[in-house]
Amino acid sequence: ALRQSEKKFSQAFSASPVAMRLIELESGRMVDVNEYFLKLVGYSREEVIGHTTRELDILREKEEARLERVRILRKTGKITDLEIRIFTRSGKERICLLSSELLLLDGKEYSLGALKDITELKKSEEALRRSEEKLRLVFESAGIGIVVTNLSGAITEANSRMVETLGFKSRSELIGKNIYEFITQRSHTGALQMRQTLKKGIKGMEYMLYRADGTKFPGEFTA
């Protein structure tokens, strides 16, 4: 039963779709790694086994950082999704999520760890963040009032110019109100048309609008 169990463990370790490594906890030396780990770091098995990640410059960290992971493993038995930066043989930086479990084998402590490469995901997240920053800059610096609403007309976002145009003192006063509240009865038919055609897009439709103080002004919608 033990032999079958070890065989299953070995097969799962080798065939895992993420980088796996078995490390002697006290010394930090690698005892075993799978092919995905070797592919990730760019070393051969012979170059890796018996060495630490610091010796191979895979982890460029102070010894205190490793000892802190050892302390956590001994205290809790596992580490889940710890973001770390590793360096391949060619010097390329990769961002990974490390998950480890404490194992006791023949009276010795080992760390069984999995590394998930999230470099491309992090790049996509950064590109999205920059895109959103640019959009926010355009949104705020536009010379016209801009609102974001749901299809029922409830305002979920507004720029400073729109807050000013509708005569409110702050953005929070405007958020949650319905855009149709600011369209006069004279333009009610136009408002209904706007609601019906919103999905197709609206360009340059004219309305009479209410400000917060009740005064009217002519406005033009593009959506």
Side-chain angles (χ1 to χ4, degrees), residues 3-157:
R3 189 163 55 246
Q4 288 177 349
S5 176
E6 289 175 342
K7 183 179 179 181
K8 287 179 181 178
F9 173 82
S10 178
Q11 289 173 338
F13 183 88
S14 299
S16 173
V18 295
M20 302 286 294
R21 89 284 185 277
L22 185 65
I23 290 180
E24 188 180 69
L25 197 62
E26 188 64 35
S27 67
R29 299 193 180 280
M30 287 177 276
V31 176
D32 200 3
V33 295
N34 68 356
E35 289 300 320
Y36 279 89
F37 182 87
L38 297 174
K39 184 178 179 181
L40 176 64
V41 299
Y43 287 93
S44 68
R45 184 177 300 276
E46 291 73 25
E47 292 171 317
V48 164
I49 301 302
H51 294 279
T52 70
T53 51
R54 289 185 68 210
E55 288 174 346
L56 296 174
D57 207 28
I58 293 172
L59 278 179
R60 298 175 183 176
E61 63 179 7
K62 294 181 179 180
E63 177 66 4
E64 289 78 7
R66 186 188 76 83
L67 292 177
E68 176 62 14
R69 290 198 299 274
V70 170
R71 186 190 69 79
I72 293 172
L73 270 177
R74 283 173 172 162
K75 182 179 180 180
T76 67
K78 64 179 180 179
I79 292 173
T80 304
D81 289 343
L82 174 66
E83 187 174 308
I84 62 172
R85 295 176 184 272
I86 71 166
F87 293 85
T88 67
R89 184 173 189 168
S90 63
K92 288 184 178 179
E93 183 184 71
R94 308 298 293 178
I95 305 170
C96 297
L97 290 179
L98 170 66
S99 294
S100 299
E101 287 197 14
L102 181 66
L103 292 183
L104 288 174
L105 301 173
D106 295 329
K108 271 191 175 183
E109 293 176 316
Y110 293 87
S111 167
L112 176 63
L115 286 166
K116 183 179 180 182
D117 189 351
I118 59 167
T119 308
E120 299 308 317
L121 175 62
K122 296 293 284 187
K123 286 180 180 178
S124 297
E125 288 177 348
E126 177 61 18
L128 177 60
R129 185 188 65 79
R130 289 180 181 176
S131 176
E132 288 176 342
E133 283 182 356
K134 289 178 182 178
L135 179 61
R136 170 61 58 183
L137 182 61
V138 171
F139 186 78
E140 278 301 325
S141 62
I144 59 173
I146 303 175
V147 292
V148 179
T149 77
N150 61 23
L151 290 181
S152 297
I155 298 171
T156 59
E157 187 57 277

